[in-house]
Amino acid sequence: MWGSRCHRLPCVGKNGSVTTRTAGRAARLDQVCADAVGVARGAITEVDPADIGEHLEAVAEGDRVVTHFFDSRLAGYKGWRWAVTVTRVPRSRHVTVCETVLLPGPDALLAPGWLPWNERVQPGDLGVGDLMPTAPDDERLAPGYVLSDDAAVEEVSWELGLGRSRVMSREGRLDTAQRWYDGDSGPEAPIATAAPRNAKCGTCGFYLPLAGSLRSMFGVCGNLYAPDDARAVSADHGCGAHSEALLGSTEQPVEELPTVYDDSEVEAVAVSRAPGSVEGSEPAEDYGHS
């Protein structure tokens, strides 16, 4: 950020900085300072004159103190504004420059607010060789010697000398369960909603339930051909690789009805004999040719 500031008002005795009489009321725009647009523009000397755009406005900062705003044309500073503050002493028309600075405007593109590294890290950011230490007061973990409401945790934590120094707390387990259930391992994942209604992980032979309090809700998929192989999935998750997906009811053959003839619907038709036809009284001829 470019700019230079003028000195603060001097102290008088033990009264601290001098306070103007107008501190309790709105500042009035001083016309002499407001007309000093050229003086304000000439005070911006850190950049090329082509980087200074048109005059935008003049704002009263106090009695005989006015800030002039100019559009910035610096590359990479779209929406920023040059701010030049000018002032004058009472009963004088000589305007002097107090401060020049480059400030973001209402539509300026700004960098996001700074966040500590542990708040910037997202799931999946940890790569090969990366280390991400856990804070000593992480609420997701609890000391191993503290009793919990998970029997599986207590079984491990009370093995003196063999237990883990910290185990997942109740808050940590609830947070994990909610994250898994709302994500790609839950019932609303696209692959689960596209699977048959009866193809749920909880009824699949490849479903390996977890231990502890999460056992009733989650397990690990052990199907080599399933997209969630070796991943934790909810019991109501599902996919097309369900162990019983190919087992269905035996097909029943369609029973064919017998053909029925109704003689009452047969109509007798008289056929006339053409001249030269054999009469019925004549003996029948042998088959074949003579």
Side-chain angles (χ1 to χ4, degrees), residues 56-114:
L56 300 177
E57 60 177 339
V59 178
E61 305 286 358
D63 283 351
R64 297 176 298 279
V65 180
V66 175
T67 298
H68 292 270
F69 290 95
F70 300 88
D71 185 28
S72 173
R73 295 178 180 174
L74 282 172
Y77 286 86
K78 183 178 181 181
W80 288 60
R81 304 185 300 180
W82 292 103
V84 182
T85 302
V86 297
T87 187
R88 67 182 180 91
V89 298
R91 295 183 295 276
S92 173
R93 301 186 65 84
H94 180 68
V95 177
T96 59
V97 176
C98 181
E99 178 184 52
T100 62
V101 66
L102 182 64
L103 298 176
D107 301 326
L109 180 62
L110 301 176
W114 183 85

Side-chain angles (χ1 to χ4, degrees), residues 114-217:
W114 183 85
L115 290 175
W117 71 267
N118 57 333
E119 298 181 19
R120 295 197 303 268
V121 176
Q122 299 296 321
D125 287 349
L126 193 67
V128 178
D130 294 340
L131 296 177
M132 187 169 63
T134 304
D137 57 348
D138 195 321
E139 63 178 8
R140 300 172 301 170
L141 298 172
Y145 56 81
V146 177
L147 284 175
S148 68
D149 58 354
D150 193 332
V153 173
E154 294 175 6
E155 180 181 352
V156 175
S157 61
W158 281 100
E159 294 177 1
L160 186 61
L162 299 177
R164 294 167 289 174
S165 59
R166 288 194 294 178
V167 295
M168 186 170 284
S169 64
R170 184 174 186 273
E171 290 76 11
R173 295 196 305 273
L174 291 176
D175 179 69
T176 299
Q178 191 66 53
R179 186 174 66 254
W180 287 356
Y181 200 79
D182 295 338
D184 295 337
S185 301
E188 300 301 326
I191 192 170
T193 57
R197 288 188 301 174
N198 60 346
K200 302 302 181 184
C201 292
T203 60
C204 180
F206 298 104
Y207 181 75
L208 304 172
L210 295 181
S213 60
L214 295 180
R215 179 184 180 89
S216 61
M217 290 184 60

